[in-house]
Amino acid sequence: MELLKSKILTEGIIKGDDILKVDAFLNHQLDYELLNEMGKSFYETFKDQNITKILTIEASGIAIAIIAAQYFKVPTVFAKKMESKNLDGDTYNTEVFSFTKAKNYTVKVSKKFIHKDDRVLILDDFLAMGRAALGLIDICNQAEASVVGVGIAIEKTFQEGAGLLMEKGIPLKSLARISRFENGKPVFED
Amino acid sequence: MELLKSKILTEGIIKGDDILKVDAFLNHQLDYELLNEMGKSFYETFKDQNITKILTIEASGIAIAIIAAQYFKVPTVFAKKMESKNLDGDTYNTEVFSFTKAKNYTVKVSKKFIHKDDRVLILDDFLAMGRAALGLIDICNQAEASVVGVGIAIEKTFQEGAGLLMEKGIPLKSLARISRFENGKPVFED
């Protein structure tokens, strides 16, 4: 998606070898016009799939998911990280390893909000090692819901996430695919 | 707002004496139609205030804020809780006590995203003791930005948050105001 790539090039910040910060428009400050274009693009890809629910993970996935939900006209569910006093005991749980934070965390979704007959589209900001996406897929599997696809804003194609989804036969749509960083700039793959 | 009150009555769950769970439409599963009506309502109240930025706090505020941002046509910033490897050291910080979780946490906003000339609308899901709203106001004060108002989905009028905002002279718009719980049901105040 050209608008997203252009934002990454002009407002993204590279830290170290392979950390791309998109705090200016996706992860801290949010650009509603960009998010709308992203939502439309996910809708174009998955509109014929009879999606019944969008599933994402707090916090950075929420804005992407709820804006996309306006096009799909379905409820969004965001998975919660860690324990929360206000979340039911009656949840699907999975463990996810965060490479960014170098630790495991528990991801939970209330059993009330994902059902056997749901056709779920998983949306998230980044796909790198794929652990968050796999965790959300695991939760859908526990609920016996169908995962119709995964939509990602920014994929790092040099990491293993996309391959892990392909192994599972789950369609993936990434709006910007970064194959490497060169001279402090991301190089996109088409 | 009638739609929100009706959702609270039909899908909200009361836990203990005064905890209202709205996981079915606002805090875990998200109802995009409700959020749109809420966004419109905040816009009706604050549209003449030359808002330049919407500020909220992760995670539950994000969906409310980004949907409202579509009406105001301004960027949204969500404050982050705790430390994050991907967040600049160059942040405004404040300490917030969570009565729900019975602990303090640090709230951060990058200095890049709130400026002296910003006219900020703070949006959040709940106003009870008011600590999150006061934390966000403190961050705006540090940035010398103007807080034009606070918009809240659900206010518990029997707790001190609204009074604390009034003391500071900050306009408050709450879409549903709960004055007490009676026989396991919320009682609304107009």
Side-chain angles (χ1 to χ4, degrees), chain A residues 21 30 36 70 76 78 88, chain B residues 21 30 36 70 76 88:
Chain A
K21 290 181 45 141
L30 303 171
N36 260 294
Q70 296 180 313
T76 291
F78 67 89
D88 275 2
Chain B
K21 290 181 46 143
L30 303 171
N36 260 295
Q70 296 179 312
T76 291
D88 276 0

Side-chain angles (χ1 to χ4, degrees), chain A residues 93-148:
Chain A
N93 306 322
T94 194
E95 293 292 308
V96 169
F97 184 75
S98 163
F99 288 87
T100 318
K101 299 193 176 172
K103 63 176 181 186
N104 270 302
Y105 54 94
T106 302
V107 173
K108 300 187 172 198
V109 173
S110 167
K111 292 182 179 172
K112 287 188 285 192
F113 302 134
I114 303 276
H115 307 115
K116 201 171 171 172
D117 54 354
D118 269 326
R119 294 178 55 80
V120 179
L121 174 62
I122 292 172
L123 296 181
D124 206 359
D125 54 347
F126 277 96
L127 182 74
M129 301 299 276
R131 296 304 187 271
L134 291 179
L136 296 178
I137 291 166
D138 180 40
I139 281 172
C140 291
N141 289 343
Q142 291 178 46
E144 300 178 56
S146 308
V147 179
V148 172

